Amino acid sequence: GKVPGQSAAAALPTGIASRACGLVALALGFAVLFGWAFDVTVLKSVLPGLIAMQPWAAITIALADGALFLATVRGRIAAATCTALAGAVLIIGLQTLLQHATGLDLGTDRLLFPTTVSNQPDHPHPGRVAEVTAIAFAMLGTMLLLAHVERAWARGVFSTIGTAGLLLMAAPLLGYLIGAGIL
């Protein structure tokens, strides 16, 4: 069904939009990893002059986008794989938060490209994403896990986490857009 007065061409199915966003961000994650693998500075940073995106951030984005893409596919295997990828995003976010909160160094930050990642003199923890990014990954993993739950409480938690996540990411994005640097 269409809404009265709405043309069929104006409607964009959410499945197509989700898949397109997932594939674009997946390509971004792989481009950053390619940049780290072959030391291409332009590919390591989303915008010139910014701190390089860390390899684990690129991998976590790729995992989240894989989960988002699989959330639009029917079938038990797709649902199970989506859940596993979402769980991995949550675990990466939580273990990074644990390292920031306790000062513990699990060494996971330097598992990928250890020499190149360690050579970041301006970065306080080479290879480790910032605290706000780790919080965002934990929230994103939780949201992706709740996406398939057909309960009212899950939808409420999903919406609350999504809104909080958008507000959390709005400050750094605003800082980049107005040229204020990192907020």
Side-chain angles (χ1 to χ4, degrees):
K2 292 188 312 181
V3 175
Q6 178 186 12
S7 69
L12 179 65
T14 57
I16 292 172
S18 295
R19 288 179 184 160
C21 289
L23 290 175
V24 167
L26 184 66
L28 171 71
F30 283 129
V32 170
L33 289 174
F34 183 86
W36 279 102
F38 298 103
D39 200 22
V40 180
T41 306
V42 174
L43 294 177
K44 292 181 197 177
S45 181
V46 177
L47 296 172
L50 296 180
I51 294 173
M53 181 185 288
Q54 300 303 306
W56 274 111
I59 287 174
T60 308
I61 288 170
L63 292 171
D65 294 323
L68 178 63
F69 180 79
L70 289 171
T72 65
V73 177
R74 294 182 188 256
R76 289 173 37 185
I77 293 173
T81 307
C82 175
T83 300
L85 293 176
V89 171
L90 177 60
I91 289 169
I92 290 169
L94 290 176
Q95 71 90 19
T96 304
L97 281 173
L98 174 72
Q99 290 184 81
H100 279 297
T102 64
L104 182 67
D105 186 0
L106 300 175
T108 56
D109 308 327
R110 295 172 305 281
L111 283 175
L112 302 168
F113 319 112
T115 305
T116 313
V117 167
S118 295
N119 190 18
Q120 296 182 76
D122 295 337
H123 203 285
H125 302 285
R128 187 177 306 166
V129 299
E131 293 91 341
V132 70
T133 306
I135 292 168
F137 285 155
M139 293 170 82
L140 181 60
T142 303
M143 285 181 61
L144 288 167
L145 287 171
L146 289 174
H148 290 292
V149 179
E150 299 285 335
R151 301 269 191 252
W153 68 266
R155 296 288 173 210
V157 172
F158 181 91
S159 297
T160 302
I161 291 173
T163 303
L166 286 173
L167 292 173
L168 182 69
M169 292 292 113
L173 180 61
L174 182 62
Y176 293 140
L177 291 176
I178 65 173
I182 299 171
L183 294 179

